[in-house]
């Protein structure tokens, strides 16, 4: 297993950034480096003889979720929506009803 000197990696990364870089630039560069390293590891994990799926194949096999639009037709209102609610039996409700009389 290869040992990585994190401080040296950060110094090399900072050396490649422009002189007037911002924190956001540094964070973006670190994120990009991590993504690239992760993808390299994923490529190494591909077993010989097995064809990786294309993006289209993955999208086709993934469940379809509606990201946009409304739920029109999916949500219905009960027929007795406008009817008054029945009061649940409780000592507090009973006392309030007694006082209201």
């Amino acid at each position: 297993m290869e040992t990585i000197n994190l401080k040296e990696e950060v110094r090399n990364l900072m050396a490649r950034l422009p002189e007037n870089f911002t924190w956001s630039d540094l964070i973006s560069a670190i994120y990009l480096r991590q993504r690239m390293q992760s993808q390299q590891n994923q490529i190494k994990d591909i077993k010989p003889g097995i064809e990786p799926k294309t993006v289209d194949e993955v999208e086709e096999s993934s469940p379809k979720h509606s990201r946009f639009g409304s739920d029109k037709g999916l949500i219905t209102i009960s027929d007795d929506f406008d009817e008054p609610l029945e009061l649940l039996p409780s000592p507090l409700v009973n006392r309030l009803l007694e006082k209201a009389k």
Side-chain angles (χ1 to χ4, degrees), residues 58-93:
V58 171
E59 285 178 354
E60 287 174 9
S61 64
S62 298
K64 305 293 183 251
H65 295 289
S66 176
R67 294 184 184 161
F68 306 105
S70 70
D71 290 333
K72 185 176 182 180
L74 300 176
I75 298 174
T76 59
I77 296 175
S78 174
D79 292 333
D80 63 350
F81 178 75
D82 290 330
E83 298 294 320
L85 295 175
E86 293 180 21
L87 295 176
L88 297 174
S90 93
L92 177 61
V93 171

Side-chain angles (χ1 to χ4, degrees), residues 9-99:
E9 289 285 331
V10 172
R11 286 185 191 111
N12 290 337
L13 189 61
M14 287 175 56
R16 290 189 297 243
L17 290 172
E19 199 60 37
N20 59 347
F21 71 89
T22 64
W23 282 107
S24 181
D25 295 335
L26 178 61
I27 291 169
S28 296
I30 291 171
Y31 175 76
L32 180 62
R33 185 193 169 284
Q34 285 179 322
R35 291 285 300 196
M36 290 171 54
Q37 187 177 18
S38 172
Q39 288 177 351
Q40 288 173 353
N41 291 338
Q42 289 174 358
I43 290 171
K44 289 179 190 174
D45 291 340
I46 295 175
K47 296 177 183 173
I50 297 176
E51 287 292 318
K53 290 184 176 182
T54 64
V55 172
D56 293 332
E57 291 171 337
V58 171
E59 285 178 354
E60 287 174 9
S61 64
S62 298
K64 305 293 183 251
H65 295 289
S66 176
R67 294 184 184 161
F68 306 105
S70 70
D71 290 333
K72 185 176 182 180
L74 300 176
I75 298 174
T76 59
I77 296 175
S78 174
D79 292 333
D80 63 350
F81 178 75
D82 290 330
E83 298 294 320
L85 295 175
E86 293 180 21
L87 295 176
L88 297 174
S90 93
L92 177 61
V93 171
N94 291 339
R95 277 187 285 168
L96 292 172
L97 289 173
E98 294 280 328
K99 287 183 180 179

